[in-house]
Amino acid sequence: MGYKGLKKVDIIFDCANCEPLEVLKKALAMTPDQIIEQIISSGLRGRGGAGFPTGLKWKLAKAEKSDVKYVICNADEGEPGTFKDREILDVVPSKVLVGMAICAYAIGAKEGFVYLRNEYNFLLKDLNPLIEKFNKNIQNLGLDFTIKMFSGSGAYICGEESALFESMEGKRGEPRNKPPYPTKIGYNGKPTVINNVETLVYCTMIIRIGVEPFKKLGTSDSRGSKVFSISGDTTKAGIYELELGIGVDEFVKEFGNGDTKAVQIGGASGFCVPRKDFKNKIIGFEGVPTGGSMMIFNSSRSMYNVLKDYLEFFAEESCGQCTPCRVGTQQLLKGIEAIKRGEKPSSYLNQLLKLTETMKVASKCGLGQSVQNSFSSIVNNFREEMIY
Amino acid sequence: MIQTKNLVKELVDKHGCSRNNLLPILQGVVADENYLTEKAMVEVAKALDLSSAEVYGTASFYSYLFTKPVGKNVIRVCKTISCKMSGKQKIVQAIEKLLKIKMGETTRDKQFTLIESNCLGWCHKGPVMLVNDDVYSEITPEKAIDIIRDLDPKHLTDF
Amino acid sequence: MSIINLTIDNKKVSIEKGQTILDAAKKVNVRIPTLCHHEDLCVAGNCRVCVVEVEGSKTLSASCAVPAEDGMVVKTNTPKVRNARKDIVALLVSEHNTQCTTCYRSMNCELQALSAEYNIDNNRYLSVLKPNIEIDRSSWSIEKDDSKCVRCQRCVRTCAELQHVNALTVSGKGKDMKISTFMDLPLNEAICTNCGQCVIHCPTGALTERRYFDRVWEAIGNEKKHVVINTAPSVRVAIGEMLGYPVGSRVTGKMVTSLKRLGVDSVLDTDFSADLTIVEEGYELLQRLRKALVENDTSIKLPMITSCSPGWVKFIEHIFPEHLGHLSTCKSPQQMFGALSKTYYAEKKGIDPKDIVSISIMPCAAKKFEANRPEMNDSGYRDIDAGLTTRELGHMINQAGLNFAELEDSEFDSIMGESTGAGAIFGATGGVMEAALRTAYELVTGRDVPFDNLNILPVRGMEGIKEAAIKLENCLPDWSFLEGVELKVAVAHGLINARKIMDQVAAGKSPYHFIEVMACPGGCIGGGGQPIPTNDEIRKKRAEAIYEEDMNMPVRKSHKNPEIIKIYKEFLKEPLGEVSHRLLHTSYKKRNHY
């Protein structure tokens, strides 16, 4: 494990010497394969949370023979504690659009969409004219690609890529069975690359600054840096771009306010790291992965309330189609309430922990599969708080 | 009734009549009529050649596509843990008192509906509320009251 | 088509690419439990009961949804798999109204069977059943009890994929996700055809037919009442499935005996009124052709389309209300029977029609609605007092404590109990068309329809839309205007196919003269009131049994039915005559499309 000290980075929001269209020109001077090769060798993995290698995704989509392909920017940010995509779209939207255009060029797509969560509709008044202008600009550069906005209608699960396609197709945002994966059958049944907002900006910046400056950051499994959304018991709440692979203790030293009891990394579907583990956990795909949500909790906070909050969230935001997730989330919530009220013995927690294992292996999509992350890490580390 | 029909027609003309356009059309109806009336959903079903049940089933999946009456202004207070930690409950109490409604209810004059929302994406600046499309972060009970009063000064000066 | 090889529970399987793990497992007799899966429907992968372990995958795979891959190593019965399955079934049970003792589907419920198989402890989890769920009994045909719903969406897929009606949808999400109608309206206000396909595809008691057998018992027990029952052609080839017989068994004689043993005063045959329908409908078709071809009457609608399937009738009333003129005005056999039972039958038997209780046993849920249509009282009384399903009859036979297998065979009573092979085949898709052609062709030409053994094979079978053409030559003088006409016909079953046929009609591009439509896949043998399960294989076997019935009948043409000849002589006088118009024909109603 490549433990790192905390290092602040300035790639995503850096606008010095970065005229986005110039980056696009640079990309268009390369061949699609060269671009994909660069993204692959950068080691960039998706920044939405799941961490799929971005270059490989592009390569798979490029290999599909289809007249119609799509590039979709997943801006349906909804993980509790995450707000970095909003900030990126607010501050450096052009870099996102360029990332989409580069991808379109690389895989051979003519149409792209930004799927923006409804809660961020206030961004539209700036984004819409920007996209209009951008579309003209890229046409002028000779790239046959058009970007459109698609506004979400309020459903966390639509951040799941196949649910997002369903939603764009005018249906309930219910995740699809996989395989097939989006690079083969995505939006409208066509090969689709769907990338997170932040991922697309890194693509832009890898083309801009080259592979090496990016690659030298982070660890072998978690190359580069990442934008973190920091909230909770901290005096420094906000957006920070940090190198990946940093130790949780370094993180807490920088952002905690001296009384940190736990850090929830990755939101409701992420992991809770208690104080005793700060020293031996790193933030990255080989340690504790995160889409960016970092919530800091002080000693005074009830971890029962934190868990209950997450479970309420899941029980509402599960799409409801598959049994483990729809019923499992309700059972977990009702279960911890019953234990707290003394209606179920504390040993019932073990039953619930087993249930999360079932949810993990048998749920249809990542939502149900990841409930175990927060549940077991909170219950196992703060068992007394659950009971008394 | 005629209005709803025309509104749906306009939206269908603008967005197109394939199923892919269903959500933008429904969003357009909500933007104009606050929620999806039975009539509106039937009109949309006709225009897109779907069953009205399909339109309803799809709409009911999404928290921004109301299938039951709501007020002209929808106040969403973020209920995620970080907002709870920064005093969300006091905001809710202040709004409930001001509007004389409980969470989830609509004022009798149909001006305001108060609901809770999952993470609004402003955790570093909680508590936060969304009034229609506008975000208000780091609010206090007093600020919340001012914001709502500004939306309907005539009606709410009595409070 | 490429063949792939994989291993399931250490057995090697070769299978076509594109098939699922579940398909592959079936091939080597490995039974994987399922719930949301149904042979008739598209893949859902919702319930997760069918999960299996695939080597190299961290999560389990839903075998109904995951395609088999070359070299895959699958294990279907490991501790990991068993634990997950058991947990999933326990979760479903925790969401379920577990009062199985009072459930109509008890002992024929897929959840109950799974729960027993996995020995589920009802106390493993807390109940998350929503309180105060009200049963929707607004529809004459279908009851919806959400407390028993497992959210497998089989009903939703049925309504969409087989019927293209989409009366049912999934609404809400997460813990509030449920199956509902538009705005959660009661079923009688929904755009629903009452076909009951959702009922036979429901794995539990969430969707059932409305039961009327208590009303029948009541009538049987009332000495003042004279109870007559008519049983539809497809009931006799399916009821056995509820009583221990293999699929496709013909148990006509035992069924008649059992009804007599229940105490029914007169056991009569819907096949008789099916024959009558053919005669009336045949003449109606010829009359339409005459008016259209000879008199150039442009108000005459062609093609003429059959009207014996009440699910189809309600469908066209909703979806194609501008085209009701294409429907034959003939009532369905059930309603013809009903109207005659309280007129002709009453008169002949010397019974006051007010004392007659006329019951039908149907493979159908929509027949219940049809019997309750307000206009269906041309006899001066409610023509049919109650329509029961095949399943309800099965329950009644069991309730009566009859040992069905031991019953002797007996014949239908008279009058209105005599029938032909043509009436019998009404029960399978294409049967009405075949029966109509046997009669119409002979009326027009004086000769047998030109098919071996009268078997008009092109209109048989399970293809969604079938067509045939018969050239009319050497016509009798009365029908000389049809000389040389090639009579074009089509048969559609399943409302999704009916819609295709109707789209053509609505566009004015239908090439046919006469079309048969049945709401249910396979026709009545696959009806919404038939035994559960029903699937393609079962439909085929029931259809074969129907055609055996036909072959075993001495008379196989409707117009040759002696009782039909007699009723025209004694009562109706002539086809499409005044009495027929009053009792045997009807009109239709435009309904909401959306």
Side-chain angles (χ1 to χ4, degrees):
Chain A
M1 296 228 279
Y3 181 92
K4 295 266 180 177
L6 185 130
K7 183 171 166 192
K8 292 186 183 169
V9 182
D10 189 16
I11 295 175
I12 291 282
F13 297 101
D14 173 32
C15 287
N17 308 318
C18 178
E19 177 53 42
L21 278 178
E22 294 303 316
V23 184
L24 182 56
K25 279 184 199 161
K26 186 178 172 189
L28 294 178
M30 299 160 72
T31 67
D33 286 328
Q34 283 170 334
I35 292 173
I36 290 172
E37 190 43 51
Q38 289 224 348
I39 304 296
I40 289 176
S41 80
S42 75
L44 175 64
R45 292 171 67 170
R47 295 299 193 238
F52 191 83
T54 306
L56 178 58
K57 196 184 266 186
W58 291 17
K59 191 176 174 176
L60 290 169
K62 178 172 187 286
E64 289 296 324
K65 291 200 179 7
S66 172
D67 292 344
V68 181
K69 295 180 187 179
Y70 297 103
V71 176
I72 293 175
C73 167
N74 187 344
D76 194 44
E77 181 174 59
E79 190 63 47
T82 319
F83 42 91
K84 46 120 188 153
D85 291 339
R86 170 181 55 69
E87 192 79 5
I88 294 170
L89 282 168
D90 200 14
V91 180
V92 289
S94 294
K95 288 186 171 185
V96 181
L97 303 182
V98 168
M100 292 175 73
I102 294 172
C103 175
Y105 171 65
I107 68 162
K110 294 191 176 65
E111 212 176 341
F113 294 90
V114 178
Y115 188 103
L116 185 73
R117 75 184 298 216
N118 199 296
E119 289 82 348
Y120 293 169
N121 270 357
F122 64 90
L123 290 171
L124 289 174
K125 66 176 188 303
D126 291 337
L127 279 179
N128 280 332
L130 182 78
I131 289 176
E132 207 175 309
K133 203 173 121 201
F134 183 80
N135 282 336
K136 280 195 193 120
N137 285 338
I138 53 174
Q139 296 290 342
N140 291 339
L141 290 179
L143 182 64
D144 181 13
F145 179 61
T146 313
I147 299 178
K148 291 177 187 151
M149 283 302 306
F150 193 97
S151 229
S153 298
Y156 165 76
I157 189 60
C158 288
E160 199 277 347
E161 50 197 25
S162 62
L164 185 147
F165 302 148
E166 291 286 302
S167 174
M168 284 183 62
E169 291 174 14
K171 298 178 226 155
R172 297 164 53 80
E174 293 173 347
R176 299 173 181 171
N177 288 302
K178 288 176 200 163
Y181 293 96
T183 48
K184 205 176 185 68
I185 295 179
Y187 173 55
N188 284 344
K190 302 293 180 189
T192 304
V193 162
I194 175 163
N195 281 138
N196 171 260
V197 173
E198 183 187 343
T199 311
L200 287 164
V201 178
Y202 276 120
C203 293
T204 303
M205 293 311 287
I206 287 164
I207 299 300
R208 159 83 183 81
I209 61 179
V211 171
E212 286 313 314
F214 178 83
K215 209 173 161 180
K216 74 168 197 272
L217 297 169
T219 67
S220 60
D221 277 344
S222 311
R223 293 284 181 208
S225 49
K226 160 109 200 65
V227 183
F228 291 87
S229 314
I230 297 166
S231 65
D233 292 316
T234 170
T235 55
K236 297 180 180 171
I239 304 278
Y240 297 85
E241 187 175 1
L242 306 171
E243 190 179 5
L244 280 171
I246 54 176
V248 178
D249 58 343
E250 289 285 328
F251 177 85
V252 171
K253 207 191 296 169
E254 174 72 20
F255 295 101
N257 59 10
D259 185 28
T260 304
K261 143 164 117 173
V263 185
Q264 179 74 21
I265 301 176
S269 51
F271 296 84
C272 178
V273 179
R275 188 181 291 155
K276 69 176 169 54
D277 290 340
F278 288 170
K279 264 203 171 350
N280 50 33
K281 295 267 188 210
I282 67 163
I283 301 165
F285 295 109
E286 66 272 61
V288 191
T290 173
S293 172
M294 305 292 284
M295 259 189 217
I296 301 173
F297 300 109
N298 271 1
S299 303
S300 59
R301 303 295 179 186
S302 154
M303 295 312 286
Y304 170 82
N305 285 344
V306 172
L307 180 59
K308 184 165 170 263
D309 187 81
Y310 293 161
L311 292 175
E312 280 169 352
F313 169 76
F314 284 130
E316 282 170 26
E317 295 294 344
S318 160
C319 79
Q321 64 170 327
C322 86
T323 313
C325 182
R326 177 187 68 251
V327 194
T329 52
Q330 295 176 66
Q331 286 296 348
L332 295 175
L333 177 60
K334 269 202 142 181
I336 65 161
E337 287 174 336
I339 293 165
K340 195 73 171 177
R341 285 197 300 265
E343 291 161 11
K344 278 275 182 188
S346 60
S347 59
Y348 190 57
L349 278 174
N350 303 337
Q351 179 70 58
L352 296 180
L353 283 165
K354 270 170 77 191
L355 169 57
T356 64
E357 183 60 28
T358 297
M359 293 169 71
K360 182 181 176 177
V361 297
S363 293
K364 192 168 186 173
C365 82
L367 193 155
Q369 289 167 7
S370 62
V371 172
Q372 185 187 52
N373 299 346
S374 53
F375 190 89
S376 66
S377 60
I378 292 176
V379 166
N380 287 332
N381 289 306
F382 300 96
R383 201 176 166 100
E384 296 74 29
E385 290 191 34
M386 302 300 121
I387 301 165
Y388 305 108
Chain B
M1 290 294 216
I2 295 290
Q3 256 178 341
T4 301
K5 204 172 174 169
N6 291 340
L7 171 65
V8 171
K9 191 182 175 306
E10 267 172 41
L11 288 163
V12 171
D13 288 345
K14 181 178 166 195
H15 295 289
C17 63
S18 87
R19 174 130 196 192
N20 281 14
N21 310 114
L22 177 59
L23 293 184
I25 291 167
L26 294 178
Q27 287 166 355
V29 175
V30 170
D32 211 84
E33 300 191 335
N34 305 327
Y35 72 101
L36 300 166
T37 58
E38 192 172 324
K39 170 79 183 163
M41 283 188 270
V42 167
E43 287 300 328
V44 172
K46 266 185 207 170
L48 271 54
D49 196 25
L50 299 169
S51 83
S52 41
E54 281 176 287
V55 174
Y56 168 73
T58 305
S60 66
F61 187 83
Y62 297 98
S63 54
Y64 283 72
L65 299 176
F66 300 101
T67 52
K68 295 207 175 88
V70 292
K72 188 171 154 223
N73 300 291
V74 178
I75 305 164
R76 291 179 173 83
V77 181
C78 181
K79 65 169 180 182
T80 300
I81 188 76
S82 39
C83 279
K84 276 183 192 149
M85 285 158 62
S86 51
K88 162 249 173 188
Q89 201 47 39
K90 287 208 176 91
I91 311 291
V92 171
Q93 282 160 2
I95 299 173
E96 285 180 336
K97 201 172 153 203
L98 174 72
L99 298 177
K100 299 197 170 91
I101 53 172
K102 293 241 156 43
M103 181 55 70
E105 292 178 349
T106 299
T107 54
R108 271 166 72 182
D109 63 0
K110 307 270 188 288
Q111 286 297 301
F112 293 97
T113 295
L114 175 64
I115 53 178
E116 286 183 323
S117 161
N118 283 320
C119 190
L120 289 171
W122 293 85
C123 320
H124 56 322
K125 291 184 176 175
V128 59
M129 69 179 186
L130 198 60
V131 182
N132 306 322
D133 273 350
D134 299 322
V135 185
Y136 301 91
S137 58
E138 292 175 306
I139 45 171
T140 59
E142 296 73 33
K143 267 206 223 169
I145 288 170
D146 287 345
I147 292 160
I148 292 166
R149 278 226 168 104
D150 283 350
L151 283 167
D152 187 15
K154 201 168 70 194
H155 177 257
L156 290 171
T157 40
D158 305 343
F159 291 95
Chain C
M1 196 62 68
S2 66
I3 299 289
I4 52 167
N5 301 296
L6 61 156
T7 312
I8 297 181
D9 293 347
N10 299 318
K11 296 178 189 179
K12 295 212 180 313
V13 201
S14 299
I15 194 164
E16 276 172 20
K17 196 172 162 61
Q19 305 267 73
T20 62
I21 297 175
L22 183 68
D23 297 327
K26 269 185 199 150
K27 258 193 112 176
V28 280
N29 282 324
V30 170
R31 190 180 67 89
I32 299 173
T34 57
L35 186 63
C36 70
H37 174 79
H38 194 289
E39 297 90 330
D40 286 349
L41 306 173
C42 78
V43 166
N46 288 340
C47 74
R48 317 304 285 179
V49 168
C50 71
V51 287
V52 295
E53 221 175 318
V54 175
E55 211 173 84
S57 171
K58 274 181 271 180
T59 56
L60 300 175
S61 301
S63 56
C64 72
V66 175
E69 305 261 1
D70 201 38
M72 224 179 209
V73 178
V74 179
K75 297 239 160 67
T76 74
N77 200 12
T78 63
K80 190 175 171 184
V81 167
R82 265 201 312 278
N83 285 338
R85 274 190 204 150
K86 190 163 180 164
D87 233 4
I88 289 163
V89 178
L91 289 174
L92 286 166
V93 169
S94 80
E95 195 185 31
H96 194 79
N97 172 356
T98 51
Q99 296 198 331
C100 295
T101 46
T102 55
C103 182
Y104 182 55
R105 285 287 299 274
S106 190
M107 310 306 285
N108 182 19
C109 166
E110 293 179 41
L111 181 65
Q112 194 184 42
L114 278 171
S115 179
E117 193 171 304
Y118 282 83
N119 191 18
I120 298 304
D121 172 4
N122 204 5
N123 293 319
R124 178 183 282 206
Y125 294 116
L126 299 158
S127 169
V128 291
L129 172 65
K130 304 265 175 312
N132 309 320
I133 291 175
E134 273 181 41
I135 301 174
D136 179 358
R137 291 200 176 97
S138 64
S139 155
W140 288 109
S141 294
I142 297 166
E143 275 188 28
K144 180 166 172 280
D145 181 354
D146 291 342
S147 75
K148 294 178 182 154
C149 175
V150 291
R151 291 156 181 82
C152 64
Q153 304 187 29
R154 266 156 55 164
C155 55
V156 178
R157 282 179 281 149
T158 298
C159 204
E161 294 166 23
L162 301 183
Q163 305 298 63
H164 202 326
V165 171
N166 295 299
L168 294 173
T169 182
V170 183
S171 73
K173 68 167 180 275
K175 59 182 165 40
D176 299 321
M177 178 268 210
K178 61 178 283 197
I179 307 304
S180 65
T181 55
F182 176 50
M183 301 286 283
D184 222 0
L185 289 171
L187 272 174
N188 66 334
E189 292 175 40
I191 312 293
C192 166
T193 67
N194 300 307
C195 72
Q197 284 298 313
C198 56
V199 173
I200 54 167
H201 288 88
C202 179
T204 69
L207 286 159
T208 53
E209 73 272 34
R210 263 189 81 184
R211 276 84 73 191
Y212 297 94
F213 45 60
D214 285 336
R215 204 183 275 188
V216 179
W217 284 126
E218 202 62 35
I220 289 172
N222 184 342
E223 282 180 13
K224 289 191 194 122
K225 296 290 180 190
H226 180 86
V227 180
V228 295
I229 272 188
N230 71 100
T231 66
S234 60
V235 174
R236 64 203 66 177
V237 297
I239 183 77
E241 291 166 41
M242 297 206 58
L243 301 158
Y245 280 79
V247 175
S249 302
R250 293 158 49 212
V251 292
T252 316
K254 289 188 194 307
M255 177 188 76
V256 173
T257 309
S258 69
L259 283 164
K260 290 180 179 174
R261 293 277 294 273
L262 296 184
V264 171
D265 295 294
S266 193
V267 183
L268 304 176
D269 202 350
T270 324
D271 291 17
F272 162 80
S273 45
D275 282 334
L276 186 58
T277 304
I278 286 301
V279 174
E280 289 289 322
E281 207 163 72
Y283 274 97
E284 186 187 353
L285 174 66
L286 294 173
Q287 192 185 59
R288 284 194 194 213
L289 289 171
R290 184 196 298 275
K291 283 189 178 164
L293 300 178
V294 181
E295 297 162 22
N296 290 320
D297 183 342
T298 50
S299 71
I300 292 301
K301 299 286 182 214
L302 284 173
M304 185 177 92
I305 312 178
T306 60
S307 56
C308 11
S309 166
W312 150 244
V313 169
K314 190 145 184 274
F315 176 85
I316 187 172
E317 288 180 328
H318 279 301
I319 311 294
F320 295 95
E322 304 308 321
H323 300 281
L324 296 177
H326 288 275
L327 276 182
S328 159
T329 59
C330 288
K331 286 182 184 173
S332 71
Q334 164 177 286
Q335 293 309 131
M336 285 197 181
F337 182 93
L340 292 174
S341 68
K342 296 189 180 182
T343 51
Y344 173 64
Y345 177 89
E347 197 181 302
K348 286 276 163 192
K349 296 277 176 179
I351 301 167
D352 186 339
K354 80 169 169 32
D355 292 330
I356 292 181
V357 178
S358 193
I359 309 292
S360 56
I361 310 292
M362 294 285 143
C364 189
K367 288 282 174 197
K368 296 169 184 288
F369 173 83
E370 184 186 41
N372 284 293
R373 288 178 74 118
E375 69 274 21
M376 291 296 175
N377 58 358
D378 293 324
S379 63
Y381 303 87
R382 187 104 300 257
D383 293 341
I384 289 289
D385 293 283
L388 272 62
T389 59
T390 309
R391 296 187 293 270
E392 283 170 280
L393 176 60
H395 278 268
M396 286 185 78
I397 292 169
N398 283 329
Q399 285 169 12
L402 297 178
N403 185 346
F404 191 78
E406 300 293 314
L407 296 177
E408 72 284 8
D409 286 349
S410 58
E411 300 283 322
F412 284 101
D413 292 317
S414 166
I415 50 177
M416 293 173 32
E418 209 161 336
S419 67
T420 71
I425 58 175
F426 257 63
T429 168
V432 176
M433 180 58 68
E434 184 167 346
L437 290 177
R438 285 180 192 173
T439 289
Y441 188 89
E442 193 170 320
L443 286 178
V444 171
T445 66
R447 302 185 304 275
D448 275 355
V449 74
F451 287 86
D452 270 356
N453 265 331
L454 303 177
N455 294 334
I456 308 178
L457 300 181
V459 297
R460 296 188 183 182
M462 293 300 158
E463 202 169 322
I465 295 174
K466 296 164 279 188
E467 30 180 29
I470 300 182
K471 195 146 199 187
L472 300 171
E473 283 168 321
N474 302 321
C475 297
L476 296 174
D478 274 0
W479 309 101
S480 57
F481 70 95
L482 290 170
E483 185 63 40
V485 168
E486 191 173 43
L487 191 66
K488 290 183 178 161
V489 301
V491 173
H493 58 119
L495 291 172
I496 192 160
N497 296 314
R499 191 187 282 253
K500 288 178 197 154
I501 283 282
M502 280 312 294
D503 282 338
Q504 246 183 350
V505 171
K509 289 182 178 155
S510 182
Y512 310 111
H513 297 104
F514 186 34
I515 304 174
E516 175 204 301
V517 179
M518 292 291 156
C520 292
C524 305
I525 46 110
Q530 291 285 50
I532 302 169
T534 291
N535 58 35
D536 214 35
E537 199 188 319
I538 292 174
R539 283 188 287 264
K540 280 180 187 148
K541 285 187 177 162
R542 289 180 191 152
E544 278 167 27
I546 283 262
Y547 290 113
E548 281 169 29
E549 284 282 298
D550 172 32
M551 288 303 284
N552 281 284
M553 297 294 260
V555 183
R556 294 178 60 219
K557 296 172 203 159
S558 297
H559 58 286
K560 294 285 170 68
N561 179 338
E563 282 196 343
I564 295 291
I565 295 166
K566 194 165 154 209
I567 195 174
Y568 275 109
K569 205 162 130 201
E570 293 178 351
F571 185 71
L572 295 171
K573 307 305 176 199
E574 56 171 342
L576 308 183
E578 184 268 325
V579 186
S580 287
H581 264 290
R582 185 162 51 82
L583 292 178
L584 308 182
H585 290 258
T586 187
S587 58
Y588 305 100
K589 187 181 159 184
K590 289 185 182 181
R591 298 176 192 268
N592 288 348
H593 187 155
Y594 295 97

